[in-house]
Amino acid sequence: MIKKLTAVGLVAAISVGCQSQGKLFGKKNDQEAVSASASAKEESGKTSYNKLITSEAKSDKGMFTTHFVDDKLYFEIPLDLLEKDMLLVSRIAKVPSGFGGGYVNAGSKVNEQVVRWTKRGDFVDVKVISFKNESEEESPIYKSVLANNFSPILYSAEVKAYTPDSTAVVVDVSSLFEDEVAAIDGLSSSLRKRYKVKKLDKTRSYIESAHSYPKNVEVKHVMTYEAEEPPERGQAGTISMLMNQSMVLLPEDRMQPRLADDRVGWFTVEKYDYNSDELKSDEYEIIRKWRLVPKDMEAYKRGELVEPVKPIVYYLDPATPKKWRPYFKQGIEDWNVAFEKAGFKNAIIAKDPPTAEEDPEFSPEDVRYSVVRYVASTTRNAMGPSVIDPRTGEIIESDIIWYHNHLRSYRNRFMIEAGAQNPAARTLNTPEAEIGEMMRMVIAHEVGHALGLPHNMKASAAYPTDSLRSASFTQEYGLTPSIMDYARVNYVAQPGDEDVRFIRMMGPYDLYAINWGYRYLPEAKNPEDEKTTLDAWILEKAGDPVYEFGSGYGGVDPQAQRESLGADQVKASEYGLANLKKVVPNLVEWTSREGSGFEELDEVYSELINMWRGYIYHVITNVGGVYETRKTADQEGVVYEAVPQGKQRKAINFLTSNAFTTPEWLLNDEILDRIESDGAIDRVQNLQSRALDYLLDEDRLKRMFENEQRSSKDVYSAVEMMKDLRQGIFSELYQSKEVDAYRRNLQRAYVDTAVDYVEQVQAEGDEEIASTDVVALMRGELQKLKSDLNQRKNRTGDTITRYHWQDLIARIEAGLDPEA
């Protein structure tokens, strides 16, 4: 393989770039780096090491030796670590209450960048390095790549002393952590604006600790800002946060990267090769993965299961409650089944935290240890972040984060979505077996992220919807082919469906993806050598929906949606709604506790409404929807295909019957009279108007017009959809019936949405909308509705209904002709 050189450049937040095997441009070899700095003995005017680092110093030996002397922090940097690649990871270790609206939590990573410590005369500079753009050293274009990717200097410090043996320099790095350095700051520009931050208060900003380990240095420092509007009033015009800076030495022996393929879901690193034979820079991606190498290569080649040289080990946080530890461990080690598909046994191991006697050096901050952290927080979430070598995509370490109150989310969801079918779900005290299994699968999901796998929201559409009512099917295959899908509880199963599985689990796609990403290919000398084998594995599974990948972003493909179950979204939502209608009358009983109020009832009822909304949105996505099947040019068939018109009509019929009729079942007086004095009408209006807005989204309507032109098949046109929708929403008009308050709100929302399109063009001259058929469609529908209203407005004896029809006519006239 030809050696490639990587140019250096600014990295805002490293999630990109790797380079092929070879020497980096601008990087001196070890001998050159040492000899360039070996003149330390000849330097003059420096403080004696022993006078600078006194006996009072608090020192910690490791990659760099750190010294606290009075209120100053010194790094003692070995000369042989100058010019070495290091990953600087900035995390928020502690945050004030309410920070970021509750979405920025302790442990959140704010930046990740590769740096090199370089000596420049009497100074040491910290340079930020990019591995995104590369070129061959011998190529003429290499000079241009270098010139257009110049390394910025993040920080510079004067050399204060040399060690007595002249093997290291000593620099004062206090200001790096006490001053405001944007590249490692925890306050983004948006948060500064939100909280009206004025300045950093240096009198209340300080270094809390510095610890050095064999391959990393960890510094914690408090940053205090003056802010006019801090997250909460009681914070007295102040925002203080504890930052954690990790400096991680990247490996000299680089892992061989694996080229990404968007037909199999992986987190990736992007890069550009300017020596491509194509008439442009070659843009490609490599996957993020741990380095797993077989211990016994010959046995591995024979197809035997072999342990890796270095397994993936996760330690549990000492703060993890002991009753939950077995479930956490199971969730981690569940992935061994997938790794066995890739030829490895015991590839991933879960361990209890070691005691001080077992491992006196153990620390969750040490890059040698990957930890499942248990965070005492009201945040209802879990995360699976990892730290990678951006040169190769190798995952260096990972910390899974579990927030305590995530238990609450699963308790509520289990009651809402399984309460009609499963007696174990009918309590706020979910039995340990069920909540433990849910925790196990959450940990497995987050570990999947930490192994390199993104969400696969398309997986759930691989299974026939009615199969999720089968005990034999769900017990063997789970709810979806991938644990990386959002499909947490089986809401399709109905009362009487015995022994079905209610909680997600790992599936066949997960085993396939791990084999594709982690199977070691001994004969491959470079990433290109692997491509034929990797492509063959994909083509072997092509056409089988179990092995398809879809991220779910974009909201276009109805088969790739969060929390959706089964191939038929309409049928699944019908089943889900049927269960919700059985749950609602029981919520008072299931959530009541003697001596307590109705806060829990209010919370569960609110979450139930959100799930109803989710079922509705799953169906809406079919209207104007487009299926995406990822393919390459050597595969037959198209990538994009419009949802058949029959399914789109079925979706509109469902919406007319379920989303756009008054949900009497939801308006349960036994609940409402306990949680609120009023608000039901506004709540239903909000639900229905938002669903209507989503259905009549401009991009959806434009796709429907385009599908009419592109397809030779019979398609569901936008005109037909609007006609069906109008007749459903205004059924009282066409049947001469009175309209209740909920439906009046919905009908006003329909008119207002259509009028908004017309008024937007009239008021703002919006050329983008004006140049489409959307406005013409809305004008036509408003004219038709106005005509129908004029013909039928007096066919009801209900006064408010008649006033309502007259009001809609006035709204339409004002919208179509605002000057009249």
Side-chain angles (χ1 to χ4, degrees), residues 739 744 747-748 799-808:
V739 190
R744 292 196 297 270
Q747 290 163 5
R748 280 190 288 269
T799 302
I800 191 61
T801 297
R802 190 165 58 253
Y803 289 166
H804 171 61
W805 298 142
Q806 293 169 351
D807 174 63
L808 293 183

Side-chain angles (χ1 to χ4, degrees), residues 430-445:
T430 310
E432 183 178 328
E434 281 74 16
I435 198 69
E437 180 72 359
M438 284 184 263
M439 294 178 75
R440 170 186 177 181
M441 294 308 160
V442 175
I443 293 297
H445 177 95

Side-chain angles (χ1 to χ4, degrees), residues 45-93:
K46 300 301 175 191
T47 304
S48 164
Y49 179 85
N50 292 330
K51 288 183 178 179
L52 185 69
I53 309 301
T54 67
S55 59
E56 301 298 317
K58 297 178 180 178
S59 303
D60 194 19
K61 292 185 177 181
M63 184 179 79
F64 297 166
T65 299
T66 63
H67 303 284
F68 268 116
V69 181
D70 297 326
D71 58 348
K72 293 186 179 295
L73 174 63
Y74 295 93
F75 278 179
E76 185 177 308
I77 306 171
L79 297 181
D80 60 5
L81 289 182
L82 294 174
E83 304 288 349
K84 300 295 185 182
D85 293 335
M86 299 180 187
L87 194 64
L88 176 57
V89 183
S90 303
R91 290 192 180 96
I92 302 175

Side-chain angles (χ1 to χ4, degrees), residues 18 137 183 208 235 251 259 342 495 550 554 612 640 707 727 776 785:
C18 105
E137 183 177 5
E208 183 178 272
Q235 292 163 0
L259 295 173
W612 174 63
Y640 299 103
N707 287 336
Q727 291 179 344
L785 181 57

Side-chain angles (χ1 to χ4, degrees), residues 315-585:
Y315 290 88
L316 299 191
D317 189 326
T320 308
K322 290 186 178 180
K323 68 182 294 187
W324 302 131
R325 291 185 182 186
Y327 303 106
F328 278 33
K329 288 182 178 179
Q330 285 178 312
I332 295 166
E333 295 186 345
D334 279 344
W335 283 98
N336 275 318
V337 176
F339 281 113
E340 287 175 5
K341 275 287 184 181
F344 293 101
K345 66 178 179 181
N346 302 324
I348 186 165
I349 300 167
K351 292 185 176 183
D352 284 320
T355 63
E357 292 73 25
E358 293 170 332
D359 186 350
E361 291 190 337
F362 175 79
S363 169
E365 281 73 40
D366 189 340
V367 75
R368 293 176 297 171
Y369 303 97
S370 293
V371 179
V372 180
R373 296 174 181 256
Y374 197 100
V375 181
S377 168
T378 57
T379 299
R380 293 161 64 170
N381 198 9
M383 298 189 297
S386 57
V387 173
I388 68 153
D389 181 345
R391 305 168 305 176
T392 62
E394 179 183 359
I395 297 174
I396 305 297
E397 68 92 32
S398 161
D399 285 344
I400 308 299
I401 301 175
W402 171 276
Y403 297 97
H404 178 76
N405 259 25
H406 208 31
L407 289 166
R408 190 172 193 164
S409 298
Y410 281 85
R411 176 202 72 175
N412 293 354
R413 180 175 287 276
F414 191 50
M415 175 183 287
I416 294 165
E417 295 194 306
Q421 318 95 293
N422 189 338
R426 299 167 188 168
T427 173
L428 292 173
N429 297 313
T430 310
E432 183 178 328
E434 281 74 16
I435 198 69
E437 180 72 359
M438 284 184 263
M439 294 178 75
R440 170 186 177 181
M441 294 308 160
V442 175
I443 293 297
H445 177 95
E446 301 306 336
V447 170
H449 285 320
L451 295 176
L453 302 182
H455 291 131
N456 182 8
M457 300 304 183
K458 197 175 183 70
S460 56
Y463 290 164
T465 302
D466 280 324
S467 293
L468 301 180
R469 300 184 60 184
S470 164
S472 59
F473 184 91
T474 56
Q475 295 297 347
E476 182 173 358
Y477 299 108
L479 312 187
T480 165
S482 177
I483 191 75
M484 304 314 297
D485 200 344
Y486 274 180
R488 292 174 250 219
V489 176
N490 187 351
Y491 61 78
V492 167
Q494 298 295 292
D497 295 342
E498 299 292 335
D499 299 322
V500 296
R501 183 175 179 85
F502 284 95
I503 301 166
R504 62 180 169 172
M505 67 184 216
M506 200 168 292
Y509 172 85
D510 303 313
L511 277 58
Y512 160 73
I514 290 295
N515 177 71
W516 191 91
Y518 278 96
R519 179 165 286 278
Y520 194 85
L521 299 176
E523 307 305 322
K525 304 303 181 187
N526 56 57
E528 290 78 11
D529 287 350
E530 298 182 338
K531 189 164 174 37
T532 300
T533 300
L534 297 175
D535 284 349
W537 291 343
I538 295 173
L539 293 175
E540 180 186 337
K541 303 295 186 183
D544 187 339
V546 168
Y547 302 101
E548 288 187 8
F549 171 74
S551 66
Y553 297 109
V556 173
D557 186 350
Q559 293 182 333
Q561 301 190 76
R562 296 183 174 196
E563 309 295 353
S564 178
L565 286 179
D568 187 334
Q569 293 78 41
V570 174
K571 181 181 285 188
S573 290
E574 288 173 342
Y575 283 138
L577 284 174
N579 285 330
L580 294 189
K581 291 176 182 178
K582 295 180 177 68
V583 167
V584 167

